[in-house]
Amino acid sequence: MVERLNAQERSTLAGRLPLWSVLPGRDALYRRWRFADFSEAFGFMTRVALLAEQHNHHPEWCNTWNTVEIVLSTHDAGGLSLRDVTLASAIDGIAR
């Protein structure tokens, strides 16, 4: 079973994932990207989808034209887990 992040692990989130925020009202990470156009946004989503499959951890997301929003939370844990932190970091790696 996947466990939720403890207080010490949570205290490092801002330093580890400075572009992500904890979603108000949910135990989840959130980030939004803006791209030049729909094609660029969709290409990013495709790369994230392949990455998510490799991690066997899949995001909640929304795409509106040139904007992609991603929410990460581990349903099995009932909130944030190391799986979310790891995937967020990996997504940051391909978003550059």
Side-chain angles (χ1 to χ4, degrees):
M1 173 159 170
V2 181
E3 294 189 24
R4 290 174 77 166
L5 295 179
N6 63 38
Q8 181 179 356
E9 292 165 328
R10 287 170 186 278
S11 71
T12 68
L13 286 177
R16 292 179 72 182
L17 301 168
L19 301 175
W20 293 78
S21 59
V22 176
L23 195 60
R26 277 191 69 190
D27 195 23
L29 293 173
Y30 169 83
R31 184 167 174 201
R32 179 172 65 182
W33 291 262
R34 292 220 170 163
F35 299 94
D37 55 28
F38 176 77
S39 181
E40 191 175 306
F42 193 83
F44 171 71
M45 290 179 71
T46 301
R47 290 189 305 277
V48 171
L50 295 170
L51 187 63
E53 276 297 301
Q54 291 173 357
H55 286 255
N56 193 29
H57 190 53
H58 305 93
E60 298 173 30
W61 55 9
C62 176
N63 166 240
T64 305
W65 189 60
N66 70 336
T67 303
V68 176
E69 296 176 282
I70 296 181
V71 174
L72 297 174
S73 185
T74 304
H75 300 289
D76 293 346
L80 286 173
S81 76
L82 186 57
R83 296 177 88 187
D84 303 304
V85 175
T86 302
L87 184 55
S89 181
I91 291 170
D92 283 349
I94 65 168
R96 297 177 185 175

